[in-house]
Amino acid sequence: MPETKNELKETCMGNGQANPSAWYKHAYRRNVVDMHIPDWHESFLSQFDPKAYVQTLKISRAQSAVLYAHSHAGLTFYPTKYGQMHRGLDGRNIFAETAEECRKNGIAVQLYFSLIYDTWAYRTHPDWRIRRADGAGAGDESRYGVCCPNSPYREHVARMVAEICQEQKFDGIRFDMTFWPTVCYCIHCRNRFREEVGGELPTTVNWDDPAWVAFQRKREEWLTDFAGVATSTVKQYRPDASIEHQSSTYSLSWRFGVAWHLAQQNTFLQGDFYGDILQGSVARKMFYNLTPEHPFGFETSFSVSLNNHTAKKSFDWLRCKAYAAIADGGAFVFIDAIDPVGTMNPRTYECMGRIFSETEGYDPYLGGKRLQDVAVYLSTESKYSLNENGLRLIGDDSAATNQEAAPSMPHVDGLFYAAEALIHNHLPYGVLTRKSLGDLSKFKIVILPNVLMMSEEEVEAIRAYVAGGGCVYASKYTSLQRTDGVKPGGFMLGDVFGVSYVGETPENFTFIAPAKDKEEFFDTYTESWPIGMAETQIRVKANPGAEVWASLVLPYSNPADYERFASIHSNPPGIWTGEPAIVLNRYGKGKAMYCTAPLETPRMFGDIFVNLLRVLSNDFAFEASAPPCVEVTAFEQPEHKRSMICLLNFQKDLPNVPVQGVRVSVRTDGRAVQRVVVAPHEKELDFTVQEGRVCFESPVVENFQMIAVEYK
């Protein structure tokens, strides 16, 4: 168990050097077939045929396959000495048979092993169960039995992983469900907390209470430690195998207990996502910067949802998802689900074969260093809402056990809406975590969207970054509380922001009034008709030398007062306080802009937010004239003397309406442009070079265009 920051870092950094010949380096088209099939019915898996499985897979043109060895049901598809084999297989090792067929057909094999979600183990070993605060098993009356990583289950996992590493052949291993399904209060968690922290486990959520925060930090640490058991066991027996842990949870609620350091237990990150276009874009940018090795894997189900076995997503939707993956430098993974009897629908694979036959032509053009001038920061310690304070984690309280019932998370909301504004304005952006603190100098702007908690390491990294010439935008609670839950009484970055903390407004609807000489940056809003925010605001004083760009305005009365109001439907501005709301401060060689409310969060203010970013810096690696539905990404490939520009047309309603007249400007950084060509057919485009930028117009963007700017 790592006790210090350095020990934790050493534990996380155990994967060694990248292997350039590894299977995942060249596999951009991947597949998973879910096989969470129980064995109570004699027909289950009775028709499973490894040869038919692989022949069907070949139709899709997939380069790798995730083959199940151990499912959520807790049953194995190979003979095991430690768990329970699927009885319908009658001792037959279908994992090994299918893996052999894959090898014969040049398909890389990833072994699938479900962690924590293990219904057989849950029902067989009551002592291993995740338990709620009232003692009830978290998987009682559920299909999903969930086992505690702090229980003897961890030794069971180590034995089973050692067994498969010694007896099965595979290129990589995928550990799924490496997260806390809910908060565990089993005796093992209670004892471990008592030994490492002291006292009893808190049962009330309170982000202002260091005891509660200490429990959450331990949950994150314990999960990484448990993942390390699985990872180190694989490395002991199969040092050349790639390792994955489910990675779709990094931006999800605190309840999952997933923090940035879990990523280093992976060879590369992969995760399944089922949300909208924005969710996918943010996830891929985060994966790009957080993954230990490239490419990461971005996956989604072929079905409209995991609980609908036959309803399929449209061809157009899946095609856009596949193009989105390669536009962000990732591999696309499609998920299918096997029929209980062991058969698969060939039409699924015919559809993916059509899509992959399109995308594989781009393989020679993939890779390189992502162009990302603007970094949006994700704090994995800030994934919560202050509205949860006081929530008691007792029994079946849906707010305590149901992820979907949790309130929104202001920091994560700010991250997503900041990213959306950058996408719509076609600025090169990435998503960073604490892993990238040493790389901040590579970015022109770092956005700190309402970061609720910050460590001393983060604070010092940001301070050094700005002092060295970097630019920061920060909002509301950023740097007011440490990651151990302690509030130092003011901004830890107050010297950088140019403000001193005074307090917070009781009013939950407030206004931001632009200074008269700054109104041009605020669209139609003025000092007299300010920006309305459905938010409290932090009250601050500007430090000497800081520029006040906007001021706090309050309504005539507190919106909570139902007797005294200025307008029955709304709370119009009425009190111009003169207190700062937006401050621009020069610190060292850099600049910081602080906003007392999260101006980045309401979608309607996205353009104003970007206007303020342009005040900090306005020389980006690329820009484009295109509608918001077209996202632009780019990669530098110095070994090929070229920049690769990707244009992804991904509209809410499909099929896409083709987009014409997209103009792109790319900074040349002093290099002489030889030609601009459309991949993969290398049709040359007209271009001009002026003021250090190459400009060209893309062909019609129906779904995707990839354009190479080649240098002499």
Side-chain angles (χ1 to χ4, degrees), residues 177-391:
M177 314 306 274
T178 312
F179 57 81
W180 292 96
T182 190
V183 183
C184 183
Y185 288 89
C186 75
I187 188 63
H188 309 290
C189 287
R190 292 178 183 273
N191 288 341
R192 191 168 183 180
F193 185 81
R194 193 177 295 117
E195 293 170 3
E196 296 179 9
V197 179
E200 298 300 318
L201 290 179
T203 58
T204 299
V205 177
N206 185 353
W207 297 104
D208 294 325
D209 178 9
W212 167 259
V213 176
F215 180 28
Q216 175 61 12
R217 296 291 89 85
K218 280 298 178 182
R219 294 178 72 239
E220 296 162 356
E221 188 179 315
W222 292 340
L223 186 70
T224 297
D225 175 59
F226 172 71
V229 170
T231 294
S232 62
T233 304
V234 176
K235 288 299 180 184
Q236 178 181 352
Y237 296 100
R238 298 292 304 276
D240 294 330
S242 64
I243 301 171
E244 307 169 46
H245 289 270
Q246 167 61 263
S247 299
S248 58
T249 48
Y250 286 94
S251 63
L252 299 183
S253 161
W254 63 269
R255 290 168 170 79
F256 291 90
V258 174
W260 66 277
H261 43 71
L262 178 61
Q264 295 300 334
Q265 296 298 339
N266 298 256
T267 306
F268 60 88
L269 299 188
Q270 65 76 28
D272 48 328
F273 296 90
Y274 309 96
D276 61 11
I277 300 165
L278 177 60
Q279 182 206 51
S281 178
V282 170
R284 293 187 298 271
K285 309 301 187 298
M286 175 187 65
F287 274 14
Y288 180 86
N289 288 305
L290 186 57
T291 188
E293 297 186 25
H294 289 272
F296 59 84
F298 176 78
E299 58 188 291
T300 194
S301 63
F302 200 92
S303 61
V304 294
S305 65
L306 293 182
N307 61 11
N308 191 324
H309 188 72
T310 59
K312 306 300 182 185
K313 290 173 180 166
S314 72
F315 174 85
D316 294 295
W317 178 265
L318 289 163
R319 177 165 60 181
C320 283
K321 286 282 188 178
Y323 278 128
I326 63 174
D328 278 320
F332 183 66
V333 193
F334 75 96
I335 307 171
D336 189 25
I338 205 161
D339 301 323
V341 296
T343 54
M344 299 185 292
N345 184 350
R347 293 187 178 182
T348 297
Y349 298 84
E350 292 167 1
C351 178
M352 285 310 307
R354 291 172 56 199
I355 293 170
F356 281 160
S357 66
E358 288 186 25
T359 64
E360 68 180 315
Y362 296 97
D363 283 6
Y365 301 90
L366 300 179
K369 178 184 176 183
R370 184 183 192 90
L371 296 179
Q372 42 183 352
D373 290 329
V374 184
V376 190
Y377 194 74
L378 169 63
S379 163
T380 56
E381 293 85 3
S382 298
K383 300 182 297 181
Y384 63 89
S385 170
L386 291 172
N387 293 331
E388 295 172 298
N389 283 355
L391 174 68

Side-chain angles (χ1 to χ4, degrees), residues 507 509-513 526-533 537 539 551-559 564-567 570-578:
E507 295 87 355
F509 197 99
T510 56
F511 297 85
I512 295 174
T526 65
E527 186 178 55
S528 300
W529 283 274
I531 299 170
M533 301 290 297
Q537 284 190 52
R539 305 192 85 145
S551 299
L552 168 68
V553 176
L554 300 174
Y556 284 88
S557 61
N558 192 323
R564 294 165 57 84
F565 52 85
S567 178
S570 62
N571 297 282
I575 302 173
W576 274 253
T577 69

Side-chain angles (χ1 to χ4, degrees), residues 106-181:
I107 298 172
V109 173
Q110 294 174 273
L111 183 148
Y112 177 98
F113 193 100
S114 179
L115 294 178
I116 297 176
Y117 279 66
D118 189 329
T119 301
W120 174 83
Y122 181 91
R123 294 175 179 172
T124 305
H125 299 277
D127 183 49
W128 298 359
R129 296 176 181 177
I130 286 179
R131 294 191 177 276
R132 300 191 181 108
D134 63 358
D140 294 353
E141 300 180 359
S142 170
R143 297 180 178 186
Y144 304 98
V146 287
C147 298
C148 177
N150 284 333
S151 76
Y153 172 71
R154 65 191 281 124
E155 286 75 31
H156 170 70
V157 165
R159 287 191 298 268
M160 293 197 70
V161 173
E163 177 184 61
I164 61 174
C165 286
Q166 294 175 85
E167 298 181 6
Q168 310 301 327
K169 295 181 180 180
F170 53 87
D171 301 296
I173 187 165
R174 169 177 292 192
F175 293 114
D176 200 8
M177 314 306 274
T178 312
F179 57 81
W180 292 96

